[in-house]
Amino acid sequence: MTPAARVQTSIELLDAIIAAARGKGAPADRILADWFRNNRFAGSKDRRAIRELVYAAIRACGPVPETGRAAMLRLAELDGSIAPLFDGSTYGPAPIGKGEGAARGGVAPVWLEERLAGSGIAGPEAEALLERAPLDLRVNTLKVDRARLELPAEFALTDAPHGLRLEAGTPVEQWPAFREGQIEVQDTGSQLACLAVAAQPGETVIDLCAGGGGKTLALAAAMDNRGRLIASDTDRNRLARLAPRAERAGAANIETILLDPQKELDALAEFAGQADAVLIDAPCSGTGTWRRNPEARWRLDEKELARLCAVQAHLLDVATRLVKPGGRIVYVTCSLLDEEGAGQIDAFLMRHPQLAARELALPLGRKRGQGTRLSPFHDGTDGFFIACAG
């Protein structure tokens, strides 16, 4: 493909991504994967270049662009090599018309930028949300110690006790260490959220929103496979992915329970008042993950944010019915909005005056309200809010 043809293809893919964002359709990575699978004429260099163009254009736009072409014109304002490729050549984009407008830049849609600013995220700290994320790994201590692990690429140690950091795009899934369960892909912030649980061998720990099980596996390693570890979720498909991951990791103390929304306590009745720790990795806006999923900015609206906040409050209330006296509730969101973080915990403790916030001794993060905030700008991690109560 010519460079101009790559730009035109990227514009067409951006049109599909914009439409999907507005209609809550497939995410960008799936749209790209489907196109690459159905268009084998595009070689590996073409695919790499197209992916880079698409994601660079997404990051360059704040509000949802009107069209993929407007998004690419916005990128052309930042990258002088792109505008000359609007040359009208075969398979290339039409020349730029006089007065043709580019999409608006910024960190996010205006309403969302205002919410972030109100939560103390503005300027360079907000802009850091759109940088490319590194590749972080967690060493699985059920299989190997970090000091003895050998990998075929250079890595740096992170502030997480079992964390490593590699260059983004490193094909770790092809390594024997990955296939043998010695390493798991997990952001440093996510690893520190698990550290906050302080799970101990022999305890009963509930991962209330386990999803695909990344944090569950970290908890299993912390518990050294001793005790009861309950992985529960309302998403059957995501929960089903945990079993093969647990087998590869050698995690043998995990029990999975499928939940019905708003009826979680029915399925977890036997654990009422029995859990030493309950982890709530709550559904959230994902504002802290934009480095990996930049088009997520375009999918969020105020109605959806309000719905997510209500779900978070409900799950916190559920946790109070599961934790034993003296036990701990650890609340985590990959969000930098106070209404999903510090404000949510303040409201929770007001509803449950028998509980009090507990201090967290984490190697990274800054105090935010009665919890700790991690951010790409200050900590080099995804954005997280972490709090503990008991």
Side-chain angles (χ1 to χ4, degrees), residues 93-264:
I96 301 172
K98 185 177 180 179
E100 185 176 3
R104 179 177 172 177
V107 172
V110 175
W111 76 270
L112 192 45
E113 281 193 351
E114 292 173 350
R115 294 288 183 94
L116 285 168
S119 300
I121 304 295
E125 191 162 4
E127 292 165 6
L129 297 177
L130 296 176
E131 297 173 353
R132 290 196 65 182
L135 175 63
D136 288 353
L137 304 179
R138 176 181 59 81
V139 178
N140 178 16
T141 55
L142 294 174
K143 294 285 188 81
V144 67
D145 183 81
R146 182 167 76 169
R148 298 181 180 180
L149 179 68
E150 295 184 2
L151 297 176
E154 292 186 2
F155 58 81
L157 303 182
T158 71
D159 288 283
H162 311 298
L164 308 175
R165 176 160 292 174
L166 295 89
E167 184 179 351
T170 304
V172 297
E173 292 86 356
Q174 300 174 17
W175 294 353
F178 181 83
R179 293 194 297 268
E180 295 166 9
Q182 295 180 346
I183 54 175
E184 292 283 342
V185 176
Q186 188 175 31
D187 179 74
T188 296
S190 180
Q191 294 180 50
L192 295 182
C194 297
L195 185 65
V197 179
Q200 301 297 314
E203 288 190 325
T204 296
V205 178
I206 299 175
D207 187 353
L208 193 56
C209 310
K215 291 183 177 66
T216 308
L217 296 178
L219 295 174
M223 297 171 71
D224 197 24
N225 268 340
R226 288 179 283 161
R228 298 187 72 181
L229 177 53
I230 313 305
S232 60
D233 202 275
T234 59
D235 189 324
R236 183 187 300 273
N237 291 331
R238 294 186 70 197
L239 198 58
R241 298 179 199 142
L242 176 54
R245 295 182 68 187
E247 183 177 1
R248 185 180 71 237
N253 66 328
I254 299 172
E255 307 169 44
T256 59
I257 297 178
L258 182 65
L259 306 177
D260 286 334
Q262 300 298 316
K263 298 180 181 179
E264 294 87 356

Side-chain angles (χ1 to χ4, degrees), residues 10-85:
S10 300
I11 288 171
E12 293 167 6
L13 284 165
L14 284 163
D15 280 329
I17 290 166
I18 291 166
R22 289 187 174 129
K24 304 296 190 288
D29 58 353
R30 191 185 310 164
I31 291 171
L32 286 168
D34 288 346
W35 191 90
F36 293 147
R37 185 173 58 253
N38 295 325
N39 294 273
R40 298 291 185 180
F41 65 85
S44 60
K45 291 183 178 179
D46 295 322
R47 294 194 297 271
R48 189 179 307 111
I50 290 168
R51 182 180 293 276
E52 291 289 339
L53 282 168
V54 166
Y55 278 104
I58 291 172
R59 288 186 170 94
C61 302
V64 185
E66 287 298 317
T67 64
R69 184 176 171 90
M72 191 59 65
L73 288 173
R74 166 59 185 163
L75 182 60
E77 293 179 342
L78 305 176
D79 184 344
S81 69
I82 293 176
L85 299 176

Side-chain angles (χ1 to χ4, degrees), residues 323-336:
V323 72
K324 66 168 55 173
R328 55 209 183 272
I329 297 170
V330 177
Y331 174 74
V332 178
T333 60
C334 48
S335 172
L336 295 170

